[in-house]
Amino acid sequence: MFNPPSFDALLQQLNEAQRQWWQQWAQAGVASGGATAPVSGGAAWPAWPGTDPEWLSRQTDFYRAQLDLWLGLVGAKAPARLIEPEKGDRRFNAPEWEEPLFSFIKQNYLLTAKWLMDSVSAAASDEATREKLAFFTRQYIDAISPANFALTNPEVLKLAAETNGESLADGMKKLLADVQKGSITMTDEREFEVGRNLAVTPGTVVFENELFQLLQYTPSTGQVFETPLLIVPPCVNKYYIMDLQPENSMVRWIVEQGYTTFLVSWRSIPPELGKLKWDDYVADGVIQAAEVVREIIRRDKMNVLSFCIGGELLATAIPVMQARGLDWFESLTLMTVMLDHTDPGDIKHFIDWNVVRTREPMLESGGVISGKELARTFSALRANDLIWNYVVNNYLKGQTPPPFDLLYWNNDSANLALPMHTFFLENMYLNNNLVKPGSFSLCGVPIDLTRIDLPSYVFAAREDHIVPWRSAYGTTRLFRGPLRFVLGASGHIAGTINPVSANKRNYWVNDALPEAPEQWFEAAQSRPGSWWQDWHDWLAPRSGKLVAAPKKPGSKQHAPIEPAPGRYVKARLD
């Protein structure tokens, strides 16, 4: 007579099968060099936790839940509703996912995803390994979502039936077009053009070299502050994130407040400039731009504002200027800038010494780092929103994404010089040298950020996935001058580009600067609306008196070259 195995025996068999699967997955990852490869320094794949009592308890719960799902699907018991998507997960919002078969598929996926994440948490031997494994496991889980495949997505199947397959055919055309251009289409790009409805704040190019163009914006007020403002945006993307459409242009708003405004428009680096170093961006970029501003306005000093990696360029330029006796800056503003890379966030999982070592043989000959490659890395940090969402809607449903200026900018990438970018990865991300005075030199000057004593305004965004706000707070422990730290709601872009007129979101202020960021936040006061007004209130007293606005851009030495936004920002990658 056949005696079925006990549940405990079945559990042991399943646990053994899962152990073997786990080892095969690890070995496959090591062989391919993929996300499941050893984390660093030859670290071994974590041991299987199959004998741990807590692990066995979780396994039991997982198998029971799977059994309940199957029994519910075949009608042996009431359909189970055992797990719900996490808050903010919109992949399964459509009512079609509540149909019995697809509810089963959805819940099976969510239960398995939770099991995988629990497996990583239990198996990893140390915090760093656990964090990296969890990140790439989440990447894997996001990629295999049933929402990403036509046959397991009820919305896709329903639309295909309603359109007699035309939606799938249209999706295939969109996929082939994106394959040809090498990037995922995130917005209807036909609706935008730089210089037509993006980057349209009136101004003039008053200087250019092989690295950047300098824009001087046309005053929109009769009087302006006598101290000019120089803006140093990031060189990874185009500057016009700060000058999108008129209603959400930070540059336009700054000009309207009465600031004589100059802006660095970095060039997307062509192959012939592939030998440029970080030193070149400092000397021929930041310092050169500041020198031109002084010559045009005929003022000894200026205020300077920077954004993201532009802030790191600016911060490293100041010690060089100090060594040369160039006391040109009245104040410094850093927007979502990370100088202390102790905890750089999830992007650290894409950066290790192998990246630097593979580039070392090419540093002398030079080369370019593709802006599209950089954009893909940043998109991978939020894969569901910036990758899989468009895979489903564009390729499986055949839809054209709606026009969105921010996403147009996001796909308008810029190349970087390989030596410059490699220096950035090695010294900032891997060695965290910006917090180690004198650990490296630029332009022959040892870099020591602790000697920066300028009045500084440091802005961070609470949900920033590129510059975690707690890391940005580290700047308060570096500079020795008076400093104001302000925290905005939302993320890297939406938190920063938050027009006053929209009156959206909020920001936090606290004049005290305790050692720990959590202590700062606990005592911070929340204020409604945009942080821009707070910054203006801080900057205006440091901008001198009001004087008549300049009637013409440039000067005899720096004659106008062409209207803003200039040639450099209009160049697009093939």
Side-chain angles (χ1 to χ4, degrees):
M1 181 177 179
F2 173 72
N3 293 316
S6 67
F7 186 81
D8 288 342
L10 178 61
L11 176 60
Q12 290 178 3
Q13 294 174 13
L14 290 171
N15 194 35
E16 175 63 19
Q18 296 287 11
R19 183 190 65 79
Q20 295 176 10
W21 173 86
W22 179 273
Q23 291 181 338
Q24 291 172 359
W25 184 34
Q27 292 167 1
V30 171
S32 65
T36 55
V39 175
S40 62
W45 187 262
W48 173 254
T51 59
D52 179 70
E54 184 178 347
W55 165 258
L56 288 173
S57 176
R58 284 197 296 266
Q59 288 292 87
T60 301
D61 292 341
F62 174 68
Y63 296 135
R64 287 189 188 279
Q66 290 284 1
L67 182 61
D68 286 344
L69 277 180
W70 279 105
L71 293 176
L73 180 66
V74 300
K77 61 180 297 185
R81 194 177 189 88
L82 304 175
I83 189 169
E84 295 291 343
E86 295 178 358
K87 184 179 179 181
D89 186 349
R90 303 186 299 271
R91 293 174 296 175
F92 307 105
N93 282 358
E96 287 82 5
W97 286 102
E98 298 305 314
E99 297 173 6
L101 175 60
F102 294 105
S103 177
F104 166 81
I105 291 173
K106 174 186 71 174
Q107 293 191 76
N108 180 280
Y109 163 74
L110 293 173
L111 285 170
T112 304
K114 183 178 183 302
W115 173 81
L116 276 172
M117 296 304 295
D118 288 346
S119 299
V120 167
S121 178
S125 57
D126 60 84
E127 183 62 30
T129 302
R130 184 182 301 112
E131 190 175 344
K132 188 158 192 172
L133 288 175
F135 176 80
F136 284 111
T137 300
R138 172 58 64 185
Q139 295 274 310
Y140 169 75
I141 289 169
D142 290 345
I144 64 170
S145 166
N148 298 340
F149 302 93
L151 292 180
T152 52
N153 187 323
E155 300 173 68
V156 172
L157 295 174
K158 180 181 178 182
L159 183 61
E162 292 173 347
T163 62
N164 293 320
E166 290 184 9
S167 59
L168 293 175
D170 290 342
M172 183 58 65
K173 294 177 184 177
K174 288 179 167 57
L175 173 60
L176 293 175
D178 281 359
V179 167
Q180 187 173 12
K181 75 173 186 176
S183 62
I184 296 175
T185 298
M186 298 181 177
T187 184
D188 189 348
E189 297 183 356
R190 299 168 298 181
E191 296 296 318
F192 299 107
E193 181 183 350
V194 175
R196 177 176 63 83
N197 58 357
L198 297 174
V200 294
T201 300
T204 305
V205 177
V206 292
F207 174 84
E208 69 179 35
N209 60 18
E210 64 181 11
L211 187 54
F212 75 96
Q213 288 187 318
L214 183 67
L215 310 185
Q216 180 180 358
Y217 288 97
T218 304
S220 59
T221 55
Q223 290 186 311
V224 296
F225 292 104
E226 62 180 345
T227 302
L229 174 68
L230 171 64
I231 299 176
V232 182
C235 50
V236 176
N237 289 93
K238 306 292 183 64
Y239 82 81
Y240 66 89
I241 184 58
M242 302 183 67
D243 188 25
L244 291 168
Q245 298 183 85
E247 61 271 17
N248 60 353
S249 168
M250 187 175 189
V251 167
R252 185 184 186 95
W253 182 85
I254 288 173
V255 173
E256 289 173 347
Q257 307 318 301
Y259 296 100
T260 299
T261 306
F262 293 82
L263 181 143
V264 173
S265 174
W266 298 106
R267 187 179 184 184
S268 178
I269 300 302
E272 59 269 22
L273 298 180
K275 292 185 178 182
L276 290 174
K277 300 178 180 179
W278 192 275
D279 304 60
D280 299 309
Y281 279 76
V282 165
D284 299 332
V286 175
I287 298 177
Q288 178 68 75
E291 183 176 9
V292 173
V293 171
R294 291 179 78 248
E295 292 169 350
I296 290 176
I297 299 300
R298 298 181 182 178
R299 293 278 303 175
D300 289 336
K301 291 192 175 185
M302 70 201 73
N303 294 305
V304 61
L305 176 149
S306 59
F307 186 15
C308 195
I309 190 177
E312 295 180 76
L313 287 169
L314 179 60
T316 53
I318 292 174
V320 177
M321 297 172 70
Q322 289 174 329
R324 296 178 180 180
L326 307 179
D327 184 18
W328 293 351
F329 295 154
E330 184 71 37
S331 75
L332 169 64
T333 298
L334 302 179
M335 303 192 309
T336 63
V337 175
M338 181 161 47
L339 300 179
D340 183 349
H341 291 72
T342 300
D343 183 10
D346 285 340
I347 197 170
K348 66 187 175 186
H349 303 308
F350 293 94
I351 302 170
D352 59 26
W353 282 105
N354 290 327
V355 175
V356 174
R357 293 187 184 110
T358 56
R359 293 181 180 182
E360 285 175 349
M362 300 179 283
L363 291 179
E364 186 173 347
S365 58
V368 297
I369 299 300
S370 168
K372 291 183 178 180
E373 175 187 332
L374 295 172
R376 283 192 291 269
T377 299
F378 289 124
S379 293
L381 297 178
R382 293 173 53 199
N384 277 336
D385 291 333
L386 296 177
I387 297 177
W388 303 117
N389 172 55
Y390 297 100
V391 167
V392 173
N393 289 324
N394 296 8
Y395 310 148
L396 301 186
K397 295 182 180 180
Q399 298 173 348
T400 298
F404 189 10
D405 53 5
L406 177 58
L407 290 176
Y408 180 90
W409 166 85
N410 191 63
N411 261 9
D412 191 5
S413 304
N415 292 336
L416 295 177
L418 183 143
M420 176 268 192
H421 188 254
T422 304
F423 177 92
F424 171 60
L425 297 183
E426 180 176 352
N427 284 278
M428 283 61 161
Y429 277 97
L430 294 175
N431 283 327
N432 198 17
N433 279 339
L434 290 180
V435 302
K436 303 171 186 176
S439 58
F440 68 100
S441 296
L442 292 169
C443 306
V445 176
I447 300 303
D448 183 357
L449 300 191
T450 65
R451 296 183 62 243
I452 295 178
D453 57 2
L454 294 169
S456 300
Y457 188 104
V458 177
F459 169 81
R462 190 179 182 190
E463 299 170 25
D464 194 335
H465 66 291
I466 295 175
V467 179
W469 81 267
R470 291 174 179 82
S471 297
Y473 188 82
T475 301
T476 65
R477 300 186 292 270
L478 276 176
F479 296 172
R480 67 182 185 186
L483 187 147
R484 180 170 179 77
F485 183 84
V486 173
L487 180 65
S490 196
H492 189 70
I493 299 300
T496 305
I497 307 304
N498 182 21
V500 172
S501 59
N503 196 30
K504 291 182 177 179
R505 304 185 183 94
N506 67 299
Y507 61 97
W508 291 266
V509 297
N510 180 0
D511 292 336
L513 295 174
E515 183 72 15
E518 290 78 9
Q519 291 177 311
W520 180 93
F521 186 74
E522 287 174 3
Q525 174 191 2
S526 176
R527 295 181 179 177
S530 172
W531 67 275
W532 293 2
Q533 188 62 52
D534 181 85
W535 171 74
H536 171 50
D537 293 341
W538 177 88
L539 187 64
R542 295 169 173 82
S543 300
K545 62 184 179 181
L546 292 172
V547 298
K551 295 181 179 180
K552 296 180 180 180
S555 63
K556 289 183 179 179
Q557 187 177 358
H558 300 290
I561 296 173
E562 61 180 328
R567 304 185 314 282
Y568 285 4
V569 75
K570 291 182 179 180
R572 287 182 65 88
L573 301 181
D574 295 329

